[in-house]
Amino acid sequence: MKKHKTVLQFEIWQECNNNCSFCYLWNENRHTPDNLKITAIQKAIDKIEDISIFDEYDTLAFIGGEFFQGQLRKNSLVKEKFYELMHKASELYNSGIVKEIWIN
């Protein structure tokens, strides 16, 4: 019997400038300090480097604002760490360890 697997989801930061009325962030206009972004990204990297967790998960998901609406341009270290995370996630996908990667 095939075991049902689940999504391992990370909220990297809560920063968005879209103001969508259906979203819980729409009227908060939160700003996440860069050091907290870097810490959250590193925690995600550390977690997905433990290959044993993928006995339970077959999908990775990353949420937290709009990654490509300027947040990555503000600090080169945040951008570097974010792309390191995406590179590691793509390695897991390309090697067949995860079946899907979601970026929301």
Side-chain angles (χ1 to χ4, degrees):
M1 179 182 221
K2 187 174 179 179
K3 182 180 171 186
H4 180 267
K5 293 190 180 185
T6 57
V7 176
L8 177 58
Q9 181 169 283
F10 297 94
E11 183 175 55
I12 305 300
W13 56 72
Q14 294 183 332
E15 189 171 325
C16 182
N17 57 7
N18 281 340
N19 298 320
C20 300
S21 61
F22 58 83
C23 179
Y24 73 99
L25 293 175
W26 80 275
N27 65 352
E28 305 230 0
N29 195 14
R30 297 179 186 199
H31 173 74
T32 305
D34 289 340
N35 65 315
L36 295 180
K37 290 178 184 180
I38 292 166
T39 298
I41 294 168
Q42 188 60 54
K43 284 182 181 179
I45 290 169
D46 294 344
K47 183 77 174 177
I48 67 174
E49 284 182 332
D50 177 6
I51 301 299
S52 69
I53 66 170
F54 297 105
D55 290 340
E56 182 177 348
Y57 302 103
D58 67 352
T59 300
L60 286 174
F62 303 98
I63 64 170
E66 301 300 323
F67 298 119
F68 305 109
Q69 289 189 334
Q71 288 88 342
L72 297 177
R73 284 189 297 230
K74 295 176 184 176
N75 182 302
S76 61
L77 186 53
V78 171
K79 180 179 179 179
E80 180 182 312
K81 292 304 283 183
F82 180 81
Y83 281 105
E84 179 184 348
L85 174 61
M86 293 299 104
H87 178 74
K88 290 185 180 298
S90 68
E91 287 177 338
L92 292 167
Y93 176 80
N94 289 335
S95 65
I97 294 171
V98 297
K99 291 184 174 37
E100 295 181 359
I101 298 172
W102 304 340
I103 302 175
N104 301 324

